[in-house]
Amino acid sequence: MRGHESSVFSISVHASGRYAITTSSDTAQLWDLDTFQRKRKLNILQSVGIQKVFFLPLSNTILSCFKDNSIFAWECDTLFCKYQLPAPPESSSILYKVFAVTRDGRILAAGGKSNHLHLWCLEAKQLFRIIQMPTKVRAIRHLEFLPDSFDAGSNQVLGVLSQDGILRFLNVQTCKLLFEVGSLDEGISSAVISPHGRYIASIMENGSLNIYSVQALTQEINKPPPPLVKVIEDLPKSKLTSGDIKIKVTSGRVQQPAKSRENQIQTRILKQDLTSHFENKENELSGGLNRKRLQILLKGYGEYPTKYRMFIWRSLLQLPENHAAFSSLIDKGIHVAFLNLQKKYPIKSRKLLRVLQRTLSALAHWSAIFSDTPYLPLLAFPFVKLFQNNQLICFEVVATLIINWCQHWFEYFPNPPINILSMIENVLAFHDKNLLQHFIDHDITSQLYAWPLLETVFSEVLTREEWLKLFDNVFSNHPSFLLLTVVAYNICSRAPLLNCNLKDDFEYFFHHRNNLDISIVIREVYHLMDTTPTDIHPDSTLDAFVALTKGQYPVFNQYPKFIVDYQTQERERIRKDELDYLRERQTVENMQAEAEQQRAEDETWYQKQELLRKAEEARREMLLLEEEKMVQQRQRLAAVKRELKAKEIQLQEAARRRFLKLQQDQREMELRRLDDELERKVHMRDQEIATTVKDLEMRHLELESQKRLYEKNLTRNQEAVAKEMREDADTYRRKVNLEEHMFHRLIETDRAQNQKTQELIEENLAKAEQACLNTDWRIQALHKQRCDDLQRNECYQEMANLLRKNRRKEIEVLNAMMEKEAVKWKEAEEKNFRLKSEKKASALSDASRQWFLEKEISDALEHTEHPCDEGPRCQNDQAASSCLPRASPLSDISEVGSSTWISLNQRKIQWDAMEQDLLERVRNLRQRLTAQARNRCQTPHLLAT
């Protein structure tokens, strides 16, 4: 749970159900159950631990109890400290472990590792009562009040669970013990009472769950009390001091659940004289019991009550319960002699076997002789089975039995106790000579009719109830009682024993149960104790009962020490030899195991090799079959490949033919297109020439018409001629530019055609190479790929060379064109210069014509004014005309037309030569590229064939 570092051991819920408190050893936390959120956390010092934190019933108060006995009360809402209980008195100071509160929240009961109970009044905040539990109670494990419907929450009955597993209910007002639940044999581990107080649920130490009815447990309490009888006796004359008077205060009778009449014990009042005071003191036992009274009770009923038997036995045997000494023996572990006890004595219950091992080991650690005593497990087993839940009591009971009832048993060790068996034989001879004589006649010794009974303490021949009844009498009498029981058992079995004649029958009789009443045997034992003479009576030889000492167990050395030491040494030597033998045997077994494992591995390996060989043979056969199938498949595949190859060759041949036809068609189309282009260009050129000729003719006609009309419209025609000349010059320039533009377009078209042809050739080359690659992969992939790579490299190199040559040719063409362009530019400049000179000459002729016209106009005007001066004027005109420049306007025009015609013819001749040269070069280049492409296409085909 979040917030707790250690485990939570307590949860308390408020009466309203809204809050809850969880408690661990380090902290306590208050939780809101509506939101499941933590409200507060109690932090404490590490040195002071928390014992318990809980809500008081029907109140809003939280009570916190710490390990230093401090108790605080807190308000639930504000967590304000309301009060603190004072410290308990030092005379009865205990460390509180368990707490209980009445339903009205007024009384708090607290207890711990003590037989004292503290009752606190929470209203007065003080300790008002201390209750002392019986001396058998050493620690209190649980407290709980018994609810009652008629006490208004002020519960009067408190249940106290102590360390002995008994739940005692007492009245806290009258301090009377009302009733008990549980016993020493069937102890209670934990208990809880129902909210209405009707039932008690308890978990027993053996793991069972018991439900008790409170009404049935308290029915004896509701009966009227018996009459009280007080007896006043005279004291002896001797003066008694105050110290000799002992006052016992009885808190009442302890009532038990109702039982049958067989288990009811009748109460007897025995009057004893004061003269027997010292004898009674010797017979007084722990727990307020008296040996004489127990013996009288035992003779009256034949056995002790089942519920109190273990308690009576512990009182009779006066067990010291030396916890520290027993723990030291147990801490030494399992003795070597009893490590393999289960092999000799197979016991189903592992718990019983474990307890038997520990008890025998403790006895062996206590005295060395018990590690060599072969009958010790048989002797201790019934007591181990009886006291398996309390190993300390089991060990002390067996030790007390050995010290007192097994006296002189080990003097002839390792042989049976001859002296004890002789005493039994003497008593049997005295009381039944015929039976002893029968034993002698059939060679039956005391080791057969007495020793089996003693070494098993009658556990083999008696049932559990008979054995318990017998040992009620054994533990209540002198140690000689056990020996006389052997004699009595033989005497009571006289009839069947006299009928036995075989030794096996006697052995069977003394090792198995027989039809014999144990009560008759016990009466016979008491008769033998009374009638046996003193000289042969075992009590003259055996000592009286001696209890185990407190603190430490007494030293047991009543045995021949040298024999035990010798046996111990021999056993140690045998143990070492056995260890060596076991070690050698283990080594041999390991070697055998390794050899067996190696043999198994070899066998496995051989089997695997055989399997592998068979598998290999099978696989070889399968491989042969597969190879045969593969050969057949390869043959079929080769045939299919041949067919496919033939089809492929046919397809390739058809594709090649189609490709060649396509190329031929494309080349024919290209040639037709080029021819059409040439024809178109020639036609255009012819048209241009014809147009030019027509223009020149028209111009000549115009000039002639102008010449005829020159005299009529000289001024107007001069301007029209000048304008026409300018227009002709512009037309001529546009024509030159158009021709140059068409020439450049022709070159660009040629280049684009060359590029398209080159791309088509490369595409066809790539397709041919791909077909070559596919064919070569089907035949011999790697070799053909390499060959194709080499061929491609050669082709690439050849193509690169061709491209380089083509580039060089193109560069030469470009250089030639650039040279031609420079020549053209030079010619253009010369022509421009000539044009400028012609323009200048034209300007001079224009000026002379204008001067001439002006002169003619002026002469005409003068002639109109002076007609008689016409003769001398004509002479002057001739003189003037002789003074004019030699070139007349008509001669200028004719000269310009002739020069223009000569320049056009020259340019036409030059353009025709250049065009023929370029066409020849383009045609040669295309033929070479076509031949190279054919060669490359034919080379893969030849390789494929």
Side-chain angles (χ1 to χ4, degrees):
M1 184 176 287
R2 181 170 54 86
H4 290 282
E5 295 181 358
S6 57
S7 60
V8 176
F9 56 78
S10 173
I11 299 178
S12 177
V13 183
H14 192 265
S16 64
R18 182 178 178 183
Y19 302 109
I21 294 177
T22 57
T23 308
S24 61
S25 60
D26 56 348
T27 185
Q29 298 185 100
L30 179 64
W31 301 85
D32 190 347
L33 297 182
D34 293 338
T35 61
F36 293 98
Q37 297 293 325
R38 183 178 66 186
K39 291 190 64 178
R40 289 294 180 90
K41 180 179 180 181
L42 177 61
N43 295 317
I44 60 170
L45 297 176
Q46 295 182 355
S47 58
V48 181
I50 298 176
Q51 199 66 49
K52 190 174 183 181
V53 180
F54 56 95
F55 288 103
L56 290 180
L58 304 177
S59 68
N60 207 27
T61 304
I62 299 174
L63 212 61
S64 61
C65 308
F66 300 92
K67 292 185 179 180
D68 58 352
N69 280 5
S70 59
I71 301 175
F72 293 87
W74 310 82
E75 183 67 25
C76 178
D77 296 331
T78 63
L79 294 179
F80 175 74
C81 183
K82 298 174 66 175
Y83 57 86
Q84 177 184 2
L85 296 181
E90 296 181 357
S91 60
S92 180
S93 179
I94 59 175
L95 292 177
Y96 294 153
K97 297 290 185 182
V98 290
F99 305 89
V101 184
T102 58
R103 295 187 65 185
D104 57 2
R106 295 181 179 179
I107 298 176
L108 171 68
K113 199 171 183 180
S114 173
N115 63 346
H116 287 186
L117 277 177
H118 288 187
L119 298 180
W120 293 84
C121 180
L122 298 181
E123 292 181 346
K125 305 176 186 61
Q126 64 180 0
L127 182 67
F128 74 93
R129 184 167 299 162
I130 298 176
I131 300 176
Q132 183 177 0
M133 299 296 292
T135 57
K136 294 178 290 184
V137 177
R138 296 191 302 274
I140 298 173
R141 292 162 52 186
H142 182 67
L143 292 175
E144 190 169 2
F145 281 96
L146 182 64
D148 195 348
S149 302
F150 303 101
D151 58 4
S154 59
N155 310 126
Q156 303 294 322
V157 181
L158 177 64
V160 182
L161 178 62
S162 57
Q163 90 288 343
D164 56 0
I166 299 176
L167 182 61
R168 298 173 175 86
F169 288 86
L170 54 93
N171 192 312
V172 296
Q173 298 297 332
T174 62
C175 299
K176 288 185 179 181
L177 187 63
L178 302 179
F179 60 91
E180 296 178 352
V181 178
S183 63
L184 295 176
D185 296 335
E186 297 180 357
I188 297 175
S189 177
S190 61
V192 65
I193 302 173
S194 63
H196 299 288
R198 297 178 183 176
Y199 301 100
I200 301 171
S202 63
I203 299 176
M204 313 305 290
E205 292 179 350
N206 57 6
S208 61
L209 176 65
N210 293 352
I211 307 296
Y212 298 94
S213 174
V214 177
Q215 183 179 1
L217 293 171
T218 57
Q219 63 182 358
E220 293 292 335
I221 301 174
N222 298 327
K223 289 183 179 180
L228 299 176
V229 179
K230 297 183 179 180
V231 179
I232 301 175
E233 297 179 353
D234 293 334
L235 295 175
K237 294 180 180 182
S238 60
K239 187 177 181 180
L240 298 175
T241 62
S242 60
D244 296 333
I245 299 175
K246 182 180 293 185
I247 300 175
K248 296 183 178 180
V249 180
T250 58
S251 61
R253 299 182 303 161
V254 177
Q255 300 295 335
Q256 300 292 338
K259 295 184 178 181
S260 61
R261 293 183 178 179
E262 296 179 358
N263 294 331
Q264 292 182 355
I265 302 174
Q266 297 180 0
T267 305
R268 296 183 181 182
I269 300 175
L270 302 178
K271 295 183 179 181
Q272 297 181 354
D273 296 334
L274 291 177
T275 55
S276 61
H277 174 71
F278 297 102
E279 183 179 355
N280 289 336
K281 188 175 181 179
E282 292 178 356
N283 292 324
E284 286 292 334
L285 302 173
S286 61
L289 300 180
N290 187 281
R291 186 183 295 273
K292 291 295 184 182
R293 292 180 181 178
L294 290 175
Q295 288 178 354
I296 294 171
L297 180 67
L298 184 62
K299 287 183 179 179
Y301 291 94
E303 60 178 337
Y304 293 127
T306 304
K307 186 173 183 179
Y308 299 102
R309 175 177 282 118
M310 299 299 105
F311 173 69
I312 294 172
W313 281 18
R314 291 166 65 179
S315 300
L316 289 172
L317 299 178
Q318 301 177 20
L319 302 180
E321 299 187 14
N322 298 328
H323 291 275
F326 179 71
S327 297
S328 64
L329 294 175
I330 290 296
D331 292 342
K332 293 180 180 180
I334 304 299
H335 197 275
V336 179
F338 303 108
L339 287 175
N340 299 322
L341 184 66
Q342 68 275 10
K343 294 181 180 179
K344 189 174 182 181
Y345 300 99
I347 301 174
K348 292 182 179 180
S349 175
R350 298 192 62 83
K351 178 184 177 183
L352 192 61
L353 176 63
R354 188 165 56 252
V355 174
L356 180 62
Q357 270 186 324
R358 291 179 180 175
T359 304
L360 297 178
S361 299
L363 291 171
H365 292 310
W366 176 44
S367 181
I369 190 172
F370 297 127
S371 62
D372 298 324
T373 305
Y375 56 86
L376 185 64
L378 300 175
L379 180 69
F381 180 74
F383 298 99
V384 170
K385 191 172 183 180
L386 190 63
F387 297 99
Q388 58 181 328
N389 294 324
N390 196 334
Q391 299 181 33
L392 172 64
I393 301 300
C394 176
F395 170 77
E396 292 185 350
V397 168
V398 176
T400 305
L401 177 71
I402 291 173
I403 291 176
N404 293 280
W405 281 271
C406 297
Q407 297 180 37
H408 308 291
W409 279 29
F410 307 99
E411 293 179 356
Y412 294 92
F413 185 83
N415 298 317
I418 307 299
N419 49 353
I420 299 298
L421 298 178
S422 298
M423 285 190 286
I424 295 173
E425 189 172 353
N426 292 335
V427 175
L428 181 60
F430 178 79
H431 291 285
D432 197 340
K433 294 182 178 179
N434 294 330
L435 181 59
L436 179 61
Q437 187 61 40
H438 180 71
F439 288 153
I440 295 171
D441 293 342
H442 292 86
D443 198 15
I444 304 301
T445 62
S446 57
Q447 295 186 13
L448 185 58
Y449 66 81
W451 182 238
L453 301 176
L454 290 177
E455 66 179 0
T456 60
V457 287
F458 292 90
S459 61
E460 287 186 346
V461 296
L462 299 178
T463 61
R464 175 185 173 87
E465 291 75 14
E466 292 174 347
W467 187 86
L468 292 174
K469 189 174 182 179
L470 171 63
F471 270 84
D472 285 343
N473 293 271
V474 170
F475 288 150
S476 301
N477 291 279
H478 192 271
S480 60
F481 189 89
L482 183 62
L483 303 182
L484 294 178
T485 304
V486 177
V487 179
Y489 187 84
N490 281 275
I491 292 174
C492 293
S493 304
R494 187 172 186 275
L497 289 174
L498 290 176
N499 291 327
C500 294
N501 297 320
L502 299 176
K503 188 175 182 179
D504 294 338
D505 296 340
F506 287 104
E507 290 179 356
Y508 182 85
F509 183 86
F510 289 106
H511 286 282
H512 293 80
R513 294 175 184 175
N514 301 295
N515 188 14
L516 186 62
D517 189 359
I518 192 63
S519 300
I520 298 174
V521 176
I522 293 173
R523 287 198 296 272
E524 182 65 25
V525 174
Y526 282 109
H527 174 71
L528 293 177
M529 290 188 69
D530 295 336
T531 59
T532 302
T534 307
D535 55 345
I536 62 173
H537 201 289
D539 60 0
S540 60
T541 306
L542 302 179
D543 298 331
F545 175 80
V546 178
L548 296 176
T549 57
K550 284 187 175 293
Q552 295 292 333
Y553 296 115
V555 178
F556 185 82
N557 55 3
Q558 299 175 6
Y559 57 87
K561 193 170 183 304
F562 68 95
I563 296 178
V564 176
D565 293 342
Y566 175 75
Q567 287 190 348
T568 303
Q569 294 174 1
E570 286 295 318
R571 188 175 62 254
E572 186 67 22
R573 184 183 61 79
I574 293 172
R575 188 179 68 82
K576 289 182 180 180
D577 294 342
E578 185 177 359
L579 290 175
D580 295 338
Y581 167 73
L582 291 175
R583 194 179 298 109
E584 292 177 358
R585 189 177 68 179
Q586 185 66 30
T587 304
V588 173
E589 289 178 354
N590 292 336
M591 293 175 64
Q592 290 179 353
E594 290 178 0
E596 188 68 23
Q597 183 179 1
Q598 186 66 31
R599 188 184 63 78
E601 291 178 355
D602 294 342
E603 186 68 24
T604 305
W605 185 81
Y606 287 130
Q607 291 178 358
K608 288 182 179 179
Q609 292 297 322
E610 185 66 22
L611 292 174
L612 289 173
R613 187 183 62 79
K614 292 180 179 179
E616 186 177 0
E617 291 179 355
R619 285 185 177 83
R620 284 179 180 175
E621 293 177 357
M622 292 172 63
L623 286 174
L624 291 175
L625 294 175
E626 292 294 331
E627 286 179 357
E628 292 178 358
K629 293 180 181 179
M630 188 66 69
V631 170
Q632 295 175 1
Q633 291 179 359
R634 285 178 180 175
Q635 292 176 355
R636 289 195 296 271
L637 183 61
V640 173
K641 282 183 177 181
R642 285 193 297 272
E643 294 177 358
L644 291 175
K645 190 67 176 177
K647 291 181 180 179
E648 186 177 0
I649 292 170
Q650 293 176 1
L651 292 174
Q652 286 180 357
E653 185 66 22
R656 187 179 65 81
R657 290 173 183 172
R658 286 196 301 272
F659 178 72
L660 293 176
K661 188 175 184 300
L662 180 63
Q663 282 185 344
Q664 186 176 1
D665 295 340
Q666 288 179 354
R667 284 195 294 272
E668 290 178 355
M669 290 175 65
E670 186 68 21
L671 292 174
R672 283 195 299 271
R673 187 181 65 79
L674 291 174
D675 293 338
D676 294 339
E677 185 71 19
L678 290 174
E679 291 177 358
R680 185 178 63 80
K681 287 182 179 181
V682 170
H683 180 68
M684 287 177 66
R685 188 186 60 185
D686 294 340
Q687 286 181 354
E688 289 176 356
I689 293 170
T691 304
T692 305
V693 170
K694 288 178 180 180
D695 290 339
L696 292 174
E697 290 178 353
M698 289 298 294
R699 188 173 294 177
H700 184 69
L701 292 173
E702 287 176 358
L703 289 174
E704 288 180 355
S705 65
Q706 286 177 2
K707 184 177 179 181
R708 286 190 301 269
L709 296 176
Y710 181 74
E711 293 177 355
K712 294 179 180 181
N713 299 319
L714 183 63
T715 305
R716 187 178 57 190
N717 290 335
Q718 185 70 31
E719 293 177 358
V721 170
K723 185 176 180 180
E724 287 177 0
M725 290 298 293
R726 285 194 301 270
E727 288 178 357
D728 291 338
D730 292 336
T731 303
Y732 180 76
R733 283 195 299 271
R734 284 194 298 270
K735 186 187 295 183
V736 170
N737 292 332
L738 180 62
E739 290 178 355
E740 290 179 354
H741 179 65
M742 291 177 66
F743 178 76
H744 289 303
R745 283 185 61 187
L746 177 63
I747 295 172
E748 290 176 358
T749 304
D750 192 11
R751 285 183 181 178
Q753 188 64 32
N754 292 335
Q755 187 176 359
K756 289 181 181 179
T757 305
Q758 184 177 357
E759 290 176 356
L760 181 62
I761 291 170
E762 289 178 354
E763 183 179 356
N764 295 331
L765 180 63
K767 289 181 180 180
E769 289 174 355
Q770 184 64 33
C772 181
L773 287 173
N774 293 333
T775 306
D776 293 339
W777 175 74
R778 291 173 183 174
I779 299 173
Q780 192 173 4
L782 184 60
H783 179 70
K784 294 301 178 181
Q785 286 177 0
R786 291 176 181 176
C787 292
D788 293 339
D789 292 338
L790 294 175
Q791 291 173 3
R792 282 199 303 275
N793 291 332
E794 293 175 357
C795 293
Y796 291 159
Q797 291 176 2
E798 185 178 358
M799 182 61 68
N801 294 328
L802 293 174
L803 290 175
R804 291 191 197 98
K805 293 178 180 180
N806 192 12
R807 291 193 194 100
R808 285 196 297 270
K809 294 293 184 180
E810 290 178 354
I811 291 170
E812 292 176 358
V813 172
L814 290 175
N815 292 332
M817 291 176 68
M818 290 175 68
E819 291 175 357
K820 184 63 68 174
E821 183 179 3
V823 171
K824 292 293 182 181
W825 277 110
K826 189 174 181 180
E827 290 179 356
E829 288 177 358
E830 292 177 354
K831 290 177 180 180
N832 191 13
F833 177 74
R834 191 182 299 118
L835 180 62
K836 287 180 180 180
S837 61
E838 288 178 356
K839 283 181 179 181
K840 288 179 181 181
S842 177
L844 291 174
S845 64
D846 290 338
S848 63
R849 282 192 303 272
Q850 186 176 2
W851 177 78
F852 176 75
L853 290 174
E854 287 177 356
K855 187 176 180 303
E856 288 292 329
I857 290 169
S858 61
D859 289 340
L861 289 175
E862 287 178 359
H863 177 71
T864 57
E865 289 177 0
H866 304 283
C868 54
D869 293 335
E870 186 176 355
R873 188 174 299 273
C874 293
Q875 295 176 358
N876 292 332
D877 290 337
Q878 291 177 357
S881 61
S882 62
C883 295
L884 287 173
R886 296 179 180 177
S888 64
L890 292 174
S891 64
D892 293 336
I893 293 171
S894 61
E895 290 176 359
V896 170
S898 63
S899 64
T900 303
W901 179 258
I902 293 168
S903 63
L904 288 173
N905 289 330
Q906 290 177 355
R907 290 182 64 184
K908 181 179 179 183
I909 294 169
Q910 291 175 358
W911 278 105
D912 291 338
M914 289 176 63
E915 185 178 4
Q916 293 295 330
D917 188 19
L918 288 174
L919 289 176
E920 186 65 26
R921 289 181 181 181
V922 169
R923 191 177 292 108
N924 294 332
L925 179 61
R926 288 176 178 173
Q927 289 177 359
R928 287 198 302 271
L929 292 175
T930 303
Q932 291 174 1
R934 286 178 180 177
N935 293 331
R936 282 195 297 272
C937 293
Q938 290 176 0
T939 302
H941 177 68
L942 293 174
L943 291 173
T945 56

